[in-house]
Amino acid sequence: MERWHQQAIVYQIYPKSYCDTNGDGIGDLRGIINKLPYLQELGVNALWLSPCYPSPGDDNGYDIADYRDIGPEYGTLDDFKELLEKAKERGIRILLDLVVNHTSDEHKWFREARKSRDNPYRDYYIWRDPVDGHAPSDLKAAFGGSIWEFDETTGQYYLHLFSKKQPDLNWENPKVRREIADMINYWLDMGVAGFRCDVINNLAKDEDGNILFGDRLHSYLHQLHEEALGPHGALTIGETWGLTPAQALALTGEARGELTSTFQFEHLLLGRIDGDKWMPEPVDRTRYVDILAKWEDGLKDDSYPVLVMENHDQPRALSRFGDPENYPYESATMLGAMLYGMRGIAVIYQGQELGLPNPTFRTLDEYRDIETFNGYKELKETGLYTEQEILDRLQFGSRDCGRTPIPWATGEKGGFTTGTPWIKIQVDPGFTAEEQDKDERSVLNFYRRMLALRKSEPCLQDGEFKLLLNEGGTSVYTRTVGDEAVYVVSHFADGEAAMPACVPANGEVLLANYADRADSLRPYEVLWVKA
Ligand code: GLC
Ligand code: CA
């Protein structure tokens, strides 16, 4: 089977906010088709589409009502097939979002299941009797309230780890596993190249609704691999929170027959007190690099790390880790080149290639995200914060910071739509694709050069990773094949620092975010040097 994932450069599209072609304010598949030349020029070879299935939209599409169709706001199945076809002509594969921990409560399976206790679909979901008139356990759901929702008609509770409109599927039921494997084959047979697998380590649960990371999870994934993913050579990237490298290896090792790779998000927890997204604290930049290096080392023998710094669940990396006020270009390019010099599957989130900072949200009603509204409620309930302090925390941590439309061009609506965008769009001078395309010193053109090098330079493909230095904001690592090496030198700080002695003075500079080479490192300077 062809193994292309080592060279995979995946671009995540949040379809709702990518490009709208019919003026309804919602991005659509036709919009993605129109942007294929842009994506090819950027240098990506796979697109991961966040869910564009039929959905009531309680969690913006991560609540799926039909696994085998396209939501009407995004287009039709024929549009999707056209996208597959046209992307392929440009050497771009398509990955879908596989959301199989839960469905929408409006999915046919759940509509049936809740009709009666003996409905044939009842056991597709997880039901429990009340205990002393209460919910079976007191665990809290990700978007607020209990994980158990009482169903009046049948007198039992159903489990939902996320919103109550996202009932969890019962993976113990072999029929569920069969349905999901069939559905996966349906898309793979159509030509889809693989999946990003939503909260995939949540599938197995115990009696009380606690998530189990053990044998059952591995056997469920192995079954999907045997019956669907493996035979198609599909690429799968698991969304997995809170894993150790050893656990990641257990899910992805070559001989396991489970997933290709898993995301690790440990560095994305930095800058938040105890990882709480509403609680800012200064980012420990040395630790940021140490965490990435730990994962490079931990997965080096038998897996591919996934290189990621933002997605639709995160505020923009530039605002979190860089300096959008003083060094937007330097810090955005440094964050990119420091990460994508590493070994692994590169995943770029839409707008990251433009170095977009967070948009500014002034009022609660500018937000759209269920998690953000819940955060507001919970912060309010503590009684500890003023209204403005709560809004500041939402601005800091909201998922909507990464979900506003792409500013393609200058002008009020940024070339995203001719209508009213579903969420505010922010168009700042210098941050549109149109302007950056023409500017040699833009984040966009830097990303184009960087991704081209990732593909052409053997050391950057499967070269061995080694961290040589990580101190006071300066880090150096190498990627080595035989006697060739690429040195990635990053200055993750403003101010200046000495050029580390280990960097070969007469090496060839492959990539840099300053025009000339100096004896010292300047604010957020990054260099790829070949020796
Ligand atoms: C994942 C998705 C997120 C969604 C959640 C529930 O974490 O990335 O957007 O809300 O799963 O499906
Ligand atoms: Ca549209």
Side-chain angles (χ1 to χ4, degrees):
M1 193 63 61
E2 188 197 358
R3 288 173 65 80
W4 60 279
H5 47 257
Q6 229 171 299
Q7 273 82 44
I9 301 177
V10 182
Y11 183 91
Q12 181 193 353
I13 291 190
Y14 198 66
K16 211 170 173 179
S17 291
Y18 203 56
C19 177
D20 172 27
T21 56
N22 64 352
D24 64 357
I26 297 176
D28 40 55
L29 295 183
R30 181 95 1 233
I32 302 174
I33 294 172
N34 290 350
K35 295 299 177 189
L36 285 171
Y38 169 85
L39 292 162
Q40 184 182 21
E41 199 181 344
L42 176 59
V44 304
N45 52 28
L47 305 180
W48 145 32
L49 309 187
S50 273
C52 45
Y53 311 94
S55 163
D58 191 51
D59 184 19
N60 257 353
Y62 282 88
D63 47 324
I64 297 174
D66 182 349
Y67 281 122
R68 294 175 181 240
D69 206 351
I70 296 296
E73 67 273 46
Y74 299 115
T76 63
L77 256 186
D78 282 335
D79 293 333
F80 181 72
K81 288 177 184 160
E82 186 181 328
L83 170 63
L84 274 175
E85 198 58 34
K86 296 206 163 136
K88 191 172 175 189
E89 286 165 15
R90 294 177 183 273
I92 297 175
R93 304 176 204 235
I94 305 289
L95 310 174
L96 287 178
D97 214 310
L98 186 75
V99 188
V100 293
N101 175 69
H102 46 266
T103 67
S104 162
D105 65 340
E106 298 181 31
H107 192 288
K108 182 188 113 193
W109 299 340
F110 193 75
R111 283 193 276 114
E112 284 298 317
R114 73 190 322 176
K115 282 184 184 162
S116 69
R117 291 197 187 195
D118 55 11
N119 187 282
Y121 289 94
R122 185 73 173 176
D123 291 339
Y124 275 43
Y125 297 88
I126 301 171
W127 300 91
R128 295 281 182 274
D129 288 326
V131 176
D132 301 330
H134 300 291
S137 74
D138 47 22
L139 289 181
K140 298 233 321 184
F143 303 143
S146 165
I147 58 169
W148 299 103
E149 180 71 12
F150 190 65
D151 177 62
E152 294 286 344
T153 320
T154 58
Q156 283 188 311
Y157 286 87
Y158 65 85
L159 177 82
H160 62 90
L161 296 183
F162 294 90
S163 98
K164 64 181 183 203
K165 285 183 67 61
Q166 294 168 295
D168 282 48
L169 283 166
N170 175 16
W171 275 80
E172 277 183 55
N173 183 347
K175 285 198 207 132
V176 166
R177 305 202 295 270
R178 181 74 268 138
E179 296 262 19
I180 300 297
D182 288 348
M183 176 270 279
I184 290 175
N185 279 319
Y186 164 83
W187 290 111
L188 293 175
D189 289 340
M190 200 183 289
V192 164
F195 300 90
R196 174 267 189 182
C197 310
D198 192 64
V199 292
I200 201 70
N201 55 327
N202 290 8
L203 299 188
K205 285 122 190 156
D206 72 6
E207 269 301 296
D208 295 328
N210 294 295
I211 297 160
L212 296 178
F213 189 90
D215 293 346
R216 274 198 278 144
L217 172 66
H218 292 297
S219 77
Y220 299 157
L221 293 176
H222 187 62
Q223 183 182 348
L224 294 185
H225 187 271
E226 291 296 287
E227 294 176 7
L229 299 162
H232 283 91
L235 171 70
T236 47
I237 306 180
E239 187 210 17
T240 43
W241 280 91
L243 257 57
T244 61
Q247 287 173 318
L249 272 174
L251 288 167
T252 59
E254 181 70 41
R256 303 279 318 182
E258 295 182 31
L259 301 171
T260 312
S261 283
T262 53
F263 282 106
Q264 75 79 14
F265 301 116
E266 217 180 315
H267 56 308
L268 301 187
L269 296 172
L270 297 177
R272 299 171 168 177
I273 299 172
D274 294 329
D276 183 333
K277 64 172 63 186
W278 314 122
M279 299 292 158
E281 69 175 357
V283 174
D284 181 340
R285 292 170 166 187
T286 308
R287 205 164 140 56
Y288 184 100
V289 180
D290 275 340
I291 291 172
L292 293 175
K294 173 181 94 178
W295 281 87
E296 288 287 292
D297 289 336
L299 302 189
K300 68 171 187 279
D301 294 327
D302 197 21
S303 189
Y304 296 97
V306 182
L307 309 172
V308 65
M309 64 166 137
E310 56 184 71
N311 63 34
H312 66 292
D313 292 330
Q314 301 291 334
R316 292 289 179 179
L318 174 63
S319 298
R320 294 188 63 190
F321 306 115
D323 184 345
E325 270 89 58
N326 305 304
Y327 298 103
Y329 170 78
E330 291 83 354
S331 59
T333 50
M334 187 233 73
L335 285 167
M338 181 172 75
L339 181 69
Y340 298 118
M342 293 184 179
R343 173 180 174 273
I345 297 174
V347 181
I348 295 162
Y349 181 57
Q350 66 178 41
Q352 188 187 318
E353 80 279 18
L354 302 173
L356 293 184
N358 288 341
T360 307
F361 291 106
R362 293 206 169 76
T363 55
L364 187 63
D365 64 5
E366 287 188 323
Y367 290 99
R368 296 289 177 270
D369 172 30
I370 181 173
E371 182 190 72
T372 307
F373 294 131
N374 185 57
Y376 177 86
K377 199 168 139 263
E378 288 183 349
L379 288 167
K380 190 115 197 151
E381 276 163 12
T382 64
L384 296 173
Y385 311 106
T386 63
E387 186 71 12
Q388 191 53 49
E389 282 167 346
I390 296 177
L391 288 174
D392 289 347
R393 281 159 199 274
L394 299 188
Q395 170 73 72
F396 169 76
S398 173
R399 304 194 294 183
D400 279 339
C401 290
R403 294 181 177 183
T404 56
I406 296 300
W408 292 106
T410 52
E412 194 202 339
K413 293 175 180 175
F416 164 72
T417 184
T418 54
T420 307
W422 70 277
I423 188 171
K424 73 175 286 182
I425 173 165
Q426 186 151 321
V427 189
D428 293 325
F431 285 91
T432 66
E434 183 188 37
E435 292 160 285
Q436 293 201 15
D437 178 53
K438 296 187 206 113
D439 179 2
E440 267 313 293
R441 194 178 169 277
S442 65
V443 180
L444 178 60
N445 277 312
F446 185 92
Y447 263 70
R448 287 170 175 161
R449 291 193 291 274
M450 173 172 75
L451 298 183
L453 281 165
R454 235 189 110 84
K455 282 185 282 196
S456 65
E457 176 53 57
C459 288
L460 295 174
Q461 283 168 20
D462 210 29
E464 194 185 320
F465 170 91
K466 190 160 185 226
L467 184 65
L468 303 183
L469 173 83
N470 181 26
E471 250 175 46
T474 302
S475 66
V476 182
Y477 65 83
T478 46
R479 299 286 310 284
T480 322
V481 172
D483 53 10
E484 298 205 327
V486 171
Y487 287 71
V488 176
V489 188
S490 313
H491 186 46
F492 196 172
D494 49 19
E496 301 215 345
M499 179 67 78
C502 59
V503 182
N506 47 12
E508 178 198 352
V509 177
L510 300 177
L511 183 72
N513 61 353
Y514 280 79
D516 55 342
R517 189 169 175 180
D519 295 334
S520 57
L521 290 167
R522 290 153 289 187
Y524 298 99
E525 182 159 3
V526 71
L527 298 156
W528 285 2
V529 179
K530 187 163 180 187

